[in-house]
Amino acid sequence: WANLQWGGRFAEGPAAIMQAINASIGFDYRLWREDIAGSLAHAAMLAKQGIISEADEAAIRQGLSEIGAAIAEQKFTFDPALEDIHTNIEAWLVGHIGEAGRRLHTGRSRNDQVATDFRLWVRAAVDALDGQLRDLMRALAGRAAEHAATIMPGFTHLQTAQPVTFGHHLLAYVEMLARDRGRLADCRVRLNECPLGAAALAGTTFPIDRAMTARTLGFDRPTANSLDSVSDRDFAIEFLAALSILAMHLSRFAEEIVIWTSAPYRFVRLSDAFTTGSSIMPQKRNPDAAELARAKTGRIFGALTGLLTVMKGLPLAYAKDMQEDKEAVFDAADAAELVLAAMAGMVRDMQPDPARMRAAAGADYATATDLADYLVRELGLPFRTAHHATGRIVSAAEARGLELADLPLAAMQEIEPRITEKVFEVLTVEASVAARSAQGGTAPENVAREAARWLEALA
Ligand code: ARG
């Protein structure tokens, strides 16, 4: 037995359980691309600085590219005895190219190595999720353009409030997702500094060129403080925080899909491709994808609180606790990827039922606010007085089992004698949405314009 890394100091190998608790290769193998990229950049820099020979660098480069190919073809066996991805790759390199491989770790530690790899991984995840977010936004904006004038009830307290258009409702999510993209972009800006060269914690005695490795790996600059470089995982936490807010948004939309597809609503029908049946109840069409999108939020929030908790009491600099950062981030990113794809699929396929939405919008006195506004505008009543009179008119309509637009003028005049025929112009749901044409309102012309603006911005 001889450990590649610390065999000089240790006479014996670890207990089996020590190896089991210590090994991270079972999950951090996912960093293999980043680890190879980091090592290539490091070796090239070492050669340029004259710290290793050009011949050694060439051998390292060749060896790493063979490892990359072997891993990509699933011909590389990861060994838990070699702890993690960094040591697995390095051990293979030493085994195949010998002496030159043993020079790669000059001026570097696994502490700055893993911090670099992980930043690269999170950065790639941010970029991939950004593309998916754009795609979902495009899907929503497309459906919004189609349904700029499709009227549905708007809710507060999940009670019918005022009519809105379906397009307006979908564009509300486009706005939220745009902010989610912004949060991920902010996170990317802050994480894009290169920790490589911080070494274990104090920096290195070798004349390395940190700007060169940073540039090669696409970072904006090297990090400024070696202790900070290997100690913090705030970039991962910030990523999880941005994903948590995104997941919260998607979960609300998923919940609405569950509500809208339920039998009493039926505002929307999901396609067969995004629906499951029941093994016992033949009539069922279950919105499982929406439910799972709602549920996966739990994993993402869990990852955030989990990593915050891992980090909260750690003294500087590196501690092995920090190895627990990866599974949480991988799992949350996987969940977000899946949910975004499923939501985009559901949105593109779903069939709204404009007739049912229109009927629901017309019921339950959704235009009562329009009537109160009319009393203010036409009769000069103070709003509170108008609200009161309208409340009595709604009660009168309710007592007769009528919608507001069907209540005879005489019945309204019993409550407010100055009301004229003109009132009927404001009582329909069509008039209600059309009138909300101030900026940000639900008027179909606004919605059509906003949907077009988004589609152009996302093209
Ligand atoms: N697998 C380790 C991790 O993910 C790499 C860093 C190990 N560093 C150390 N000092 N033991 O954190």
Side-chain angles (χ1 to χ4, degrees), residues 228-260:
D228 171 48
S229 310
V230 295
S231 296
D232 211 347
R233 292 294 181 268
D234 59 348
F235 65 90
I237 292 171
E238 192 173 352
F239 174 63
L240 293 175
L243 286 194
S244 293
I245 298 175
L246 163 65
M248 174 275 294
H249 286 151
L250 295 178
S251 179
R252 296 182 73 174
F253 187 42
E255 168 69 5
E256 294 197 311
I257 291 176
V258 171
I259 293 172
W260 292 343

Side-chain angles (χ1 to χ4, degrees), residues 78 127 140 153 159 192 199 229 293 301 344 385 395 399:
F78 294 110
D127 293 344
L140 287 163
Q159 306 291 322
N192 206 30
S229 310
F301 291 4
T385 312
S395 296

Side-chain angles (χ1 to χ4, degrees), residues 58 90 93 102 112-113 125 207 218 222 291 304 325 327 334 375 445 459:
E90 198 185 327
L93 193 67
R102 299 180 75 91
D112 58 339
Q113 192 178 352
E291 293 167 279
L304 173 63
D325 57 2
E327 282 163 293
D334 291 347
L375 297 176
E445 46 169 321

